[in-house]
Amino acid sequence: MEIDYIAHTNELKDINSSIKIIATIGLMILVFLVNIPIFSFSIAFLIAIILILVAKVPIKFYLKFISVPFTFTLLTCVIMAFFFGSGTIIFETGILGIVVRADALILAILTFSRTLACFSALGFLAMTTPIAEILNDLDKIKIPKIFIEIALLMYTVIFVFLDQVKIMTNAQETRMGYNGIKNSYRSLGLLAANLFLRSLDKSEQLQFALDSRGYNGELPKYNP
């Protein structure tokens, strides 16, 4: 929800969305063509500077945003460094013959830099461009309407889903549902089960709402 708010309020929101999409795709292609980790790290750093200083995205939010892919990518690349490769051994752990080889380390660093740069580029697009404009541009390049409509419905349902989670969690907390480990596990199980049923109910309501407004199999899209 924070990303959606920032996408509508950042300082780059008025720039043509097509330009931002082309820039994002172009940067990702460059990252894959140039096999130099420092280049990918430079792209990620440049995007961070643009988002924080130019687009005025709060630095605290950006760090929280980038921390998730950073953590998962780092763990993946550490595993690659220890268990991949067949070249020269540069470090021995002394544990079950696990070693770090030169080619595996190079591959891990390259993978980490590429992933970080590509995710930063996607983050730039997500935090500077409202989803409605992105879907409108996808329609312009003749992406099948079924994919655009699925994306629109998924995006809409995400907010419904988050709203239900918030309501149910608040209700459980007021009843001391998370007081102690045992109660927390029980409340979490009930939340997951009820959330599934609520999601089915909301999806039916959404279908009824579409039908009552003359839905004929094609959703109208926003055209800026």
Side-chain angles (χ1 to χ4, degrees), residues 84-88 101 103-104:
F84 282 64
S86 57
T88 305
R101 300 180 183 274
D103 55 342

Side-chain angles (χ1 to χ4, degrees), residues 3-4 6-7 24 65 121-131 134:
I3 293 177
D4 189 72
I6 289 173
T24 298
F65 173 84
L122 289 175
F124 169 79
L125 181 63
M127 284 185 273
T128 60
T129 313
I131 188 66
I134 295 176

Side-chain angles (χ1 to χ4, degrees), residues 27-28 35 48 66 75-76 95-96 115 118 171 189 209 218:
L27 286 173
M28 293 176 68
N35 293 322
I66 203 68
L75 291 174
T76 301
I95 303 173
L96 300 176
T115 304
C118 288
E218 182 175 337

Side-chain angles (χ1 to χ4, degrees), residues 57-199:
V57 173
I59 186 170
K60 183 178 179 181
F61 171 78
Y62 180 76
L63 292 176
K64 182 171 67 173
F65 173 84
I66 203 68
S67 65
V68 177
F70 178 88
T71 303
F72 279 100
T73 305
L74 182 62
L75 291 174
T76 301
C77 291
V78 167
I79 292 173
M80 290 177 63
F82 281 101
F83 295 100
F84 282 64
S86 57
T88 305
I89 297 175
I90 59 176
F91 177 73
E92 294 187 17
T93 63
I95 303 173
L96 300 176
I98 298 175
V99 298
V100 176
R101 300 180 183 274
D103 55 342
L105 182 61
I106 293 173
L107 177 63
I109 294 173
L110 181 60
T111 301
F112 178 77
S113 63
R114 278 179 168 177
T115 304
L116 191 62
C118 288
F119 195 89
S120 297
L122 289 175
F124 169 79
L125 181 63
M127 284 185 273
T128 60
T129 313
I131 188 66
E133 295 183 16
I134 295 176
L135 295 179
N136 182 64
D137 286 327
L138 292 179
D139 184 63
K140 287 180 181 179
I141 59 175
K142 305 303 180 183
I143 296 295
K145 291 185 180 297
I146 183 65
F147 292 110
I148 297 176
E149 291 180 4
I150 289 174
L152 177 60
L153 288 172
M154 288 176 63
Y155 190 74
T156 302
V157 170
I158 284 173
F159 289 93
V160 176
F161 180 83
L162 292 176
D163 185 56
Q164 290 299 309
V165 170
K166 184 178 180 180
I167 292 172
M168 294 168 65
T169 302
N170 289 340
Q172 289 178 329
E173 288 177 347
T174 58
R175 294 171 174 81
M176 306 296 289
Y178 293 94
N179 186 21
I181 297 178
K182 184 178 179 180
N183 285 337
S184 296
Y185 278 119
R186 180 175 179 275
S187 296
L188 189 61
L190 291 172
L191 176 66
N194 290 328
L195 190 59
F196 176 73
L197 297 175
R198 287 282 188 93
S199 299

